[in-house]
Amino acid sequence: RENFVIPVAEDRGQFVFATPAVDAVTRSRLAFVLDREVDFVRADADDVLVLINATYGQTETETMTATYASPIVALQNDLDETVGLSLYGIFLNAFENQKDEIIFSRRELGTGVVFLGNVIESEEALHPQLVFDTLLRHLLSLEPVEFEELSHGEHLVTLDVPMLGGYTLRWVLRATEWPPTHTYSIQFGSESIRG
């Protein structure tokens, strides 16, 4: 569940997993833990979740921490594959490593992504330019649960964000300008709701 993969075959000592998307971190982690070569086949996120629950049992409750929810945002089907893989990797990283907030910023060569955790630490990465606009456009298309403009000019927008796998996560979109053009952040709520 943590890596959102399920084993489907063993071929000459190599384990094959089904997953909606593959990133280098998951590949190297599984190869290290299993001490085997690993390979992946692409599968629909909902199908993977069904297989996990059917094989290992349904462990989710009506509410659960975001760490164990599917990290895949339910974006439109015609999403650019590179952007989709980047977003999957970003949210997987955040959830697996207990990050509370992600800051997205528009850069000349791409989208800057900074992960913030409970302690004073951050990790920064550069992703394709389309990540900034694609995610923001999706978030702005959702009906806000609450919109608040603070006295110092910061805007806080509470959103219920649909995820693949039937979950909705409560996030707070933060920006100093509205709508955001250069920087915005997403702060994760503590619970998700089964859809």
Side-chain angles (χ1 to χ4, degrees):
R1 293 178 193 277
E2 181 179 333
N3 295 294
F4 210 66
V5 300
I6 186 159
V8 292
E10 182 180 2
D11 182 24
R12 295 183 293 277
Q14 180 184 63
F15 287 132
V16 181
F17 295 89
T19 183
V22 182
D23 63 277
V25 174
T26 300
R27 180 182 294 275
S28 61
R29 179 188 296 118
L30 289 175
F32 175 77
V33 170
L34 298 170
D35 194 25
R36 295 278 186 96
E37 290 293 319
V38 296
D39 200 4
F40 299 89
V41 293
R42 189 175 300 276
D44 182 80
D46 289 334
D47 292 339
V48 172
L49 185 63
V50 167
L51 282 172
I52 289 173
N53 289 336
T55 306
Y56 300 105
Q58 179 85 28
T59 63
E60 294 86 354
T61 58
E62 287 304 307
T63 61
M64 58 189 295
T65 62
T67 305
Y68 296 100
S70 168
I72 309 168
V73 184
L75 294 162
Q76 64 271 23
N77 293 329
D78 60 349
L79 181 68
D80 178 271
E81 184 176 7
T82 304
V83 173
L85 289 174
S86 286
L87 286 170
Y88 176 82
I90 289 167
F91 292 117
L92 188 68
N93 181 335
F95 291 178
E96 283 190 347
N97 294 293
Q98 307 282 316
K99 302 300 183 183
D100 298 319
E101 187 172 4
I102 307 175
I103 301 172
F104 295 86
S105 58
R106 191 186 301 278
R107 304 283 179 82
E108 185 177 343
L109 298 176
T111 300
V113 177
V114 176
F115 300 92
L116 302 179
N118 289 320
V119 295
I120 306 301
E121 63 172 300
S122 67
E123 302 170 19
E124 190 163 3
L126 193 65
H127 291 268
Q129 287 183 331
L130 283 173
V131 166
F132 184 97
D133 290 322
T134 300
L135 180 60
L136 181 61
R137 185 169 52 250
H138 176 68
L139 296 176
L140 294 181
S141 74
L142 302 174
E143 186 70 29
V145 175
E146 184 178 358
F147 185 95
E148 185 178 3
E149 185 174 356
L150 305 180
S151 58
H152 57 277
E154 188 174 35
H155 299 79
L156 305 179
V157 183
T158 303
L159 300 167
D160 284 339
V161 182
M163 312 294 279
L164 293 181
Y167 294 95
T168 299
L169 301 186
R170 179 151 290 183
W171 292 354
V172 175
L173 177 63
R174 305 166 66 95
T176 54
E177 55 181 350
W178 197 259
T181 57
H182 294 91
T183 303
Y184 62 91
S185 74
I186 295 169
Q187 194 168 26
F188 299 120
S190 60
E191 292 186 333
S192 66
I193 304 165
R194 181 74 175 173

